[in-house]
Amino acid sequence: MTERPAGSVERDVTNLQIGPSHVEWKGDALEITIEERDKRLFNPFRRKVRGKVRVIPESLNPASFALDPAENHIWHCMAPRARIEVDMEEPGVSWSGQGYFDHNRGSEPLEDGFRTWHWSRAHMKEGAVVCYEGERGDGSVFASAIRFGADGIPEIADLPPAARLPSSGWHIKRRTRSDLGVSEVIRTWEDTPFYARSELSTQLYGEDVVSVQESLDMRRFASPVVQFMLPYRMPKEKR
């Protein structure tokens, strides 16, 4: 990822262009064309990252959800279930599997609206379930569980008991939801000073599932130390 100025961004009804990369609806699939370079800590050489990712929704959900009373932050799970096809040229890897597609939008920075949040998503035998909870910037809390049917239509569900997880390597506090109040971390995919994404083994609504879980600490993100560190991991294009 590279931070880019507004002049490097264009969009129309079906296409979003960010620098040399773009995201475009083509028929029934969302096609992501990646033209980037990575950046590793203390490594001045930026390798090319180039290829395509296709996201093919099994169904589409038209409903969005506000994460705060003022509706400054909106979450939209567009495809609760999807298939993905990844074909990278650099590095030369490819695979296919299950996927998911959502986005957040807002009228203020995330660090103004939230202190922490925890999110998880699991494929069920039919449809999918998303659990979303956290603490807003004003100290109020929110928590919800949403079940999506095979047709993608959402329905608010009873919130399963909280299940605490071990802190990440950077001591980010993690939590999720489970029928039995317990869950196991299979592996952590991303572990940073303010964010962790993990694969979990858990039980939801009577089904044994594998879920994707993330925890975000916006107080950590906004700290001067982390802001100083970010450019070493995420290059910034000059305006």
Side-chain angles (χ1 to χ4, degrees):
M1 295 178 64
T2 302
E3 287 194 7
R4 300 184 185 277
S8 296
V9 179
E10 297 180 8
R11 68 175 182 174
D12 55 33
V13 174
T14 60
N15 185 69
L16 171 64
Q17 184 86 30
I18 304 176
S21 301
H22 68 274
V23 181
E24 182 180 10
W25 280 107
K26 287 191 173 181
D28 61 352
L30 183 72
E31 188 170 286
I32 306 165
T33 301
I34 301 168
E35 292 281 352
E36 271 289 352
R37 288 182 179 271
D38 73 358
K39 187 167 185 179
R40 295 183 173 185
L41 193 62
F42 306 125
N43 187 341
F45 300 103
R46 298 182 62 195
R47 300 175 304 174
K48 287 184 178 180
V49 180
R50 186 161 60 97
K52 290 184 182 294
V53 178
R54 296 183 74 243
V55 181
I56 305 100
E58 295 182 11
S59 58
L60 290 173
N61 161 43
S64 297
F65 297 87
L67 298 179
D68 64 307
E71 299 187 359
N72 290 324
H73 300 272
I74 305 296
W75 168 65
H76 187 182
C77 171
M78 298 187 70
R81 292 177 62 111
R83 303 189 315 276
I84 60 168
E85 300 171 355
V86 179
D87 185 13
M88 301 299 295
E89 297 179 37
E90 296 183 78
V93 294
S94 62
W95 72 89
S96 62
Q98 296 179 334
Y100 166 87
F101 171 39
D102 74 353
H103 76 264
N104 291 276
R105 65 182 186 271
S107 58
E108 66 178 5
L110 283 175
E111 60 268 32
D112 291 348
F114 302 94
R115 298 178 184 177
T116 61
W117 80 38
H118 308 279
W119 168 97
S120 65
R121 186 270 307 166
H123 277 47
M124 309 293 284
K125 292 178 182 177
E126 290 189 6
V129 60
V130 174
C131 297
Y132 219 149
E133 62 187 296
E135 182 180 0
R136 302 186 183 98
D138 62 5
S140 63
V141 297
F142 65 99
S144 63
I146 302 172
R147 295 196 69 168
F148 295 88
D151 57 2
I153 301 303
E155 180 180 350
I156 300 298
D158 291 337
L159 192 64
R164 292 194 177 276
L165 300 168
S167 297
S168 70
W170 280 94
H171 301 288
I172 294 294
K173 292 182 179 180
R174 298 183 284 191
R175 65 183 296 172
T176 189
R177 296 282 168 165
S178 169
D179 289 353
L180 305 177
V182 294
S183 187
E184 179 184 355
V185 177
I186 299 174
R187 56 180 172 174
T188 296
W189 292 327
E190 190 163 359
D191 189 353
T192 78
F194 63 91
Y195 174 82
R197 177 174 284 248
S198 310
E199 180 184 16
L200 307 180
S201 173
T202 191
Q203 186 182 93
L204 291 169
Y205 305 105
E207 294 185 30
D208 292 328
V209 297
V210 173
S211 65
V212 177
Q213 185 271 348
E214 70 176 17
S215 291
L216 177 67
D217 189 327
M218 294 310 299
R219 297 165 300 184
R220 286 270 197 97
F221 173 80
S223 73
V225 173
V226 170
Q227 289 297 308
F228 173 79
M229 294 168 61
L230 275 177
Y232 292 97
R233 294 290 292 181
M234 182 183 290
K236 187 172 185 178
E237 186 182 82
K238 294 181 179 179
R239 297 182 184 274

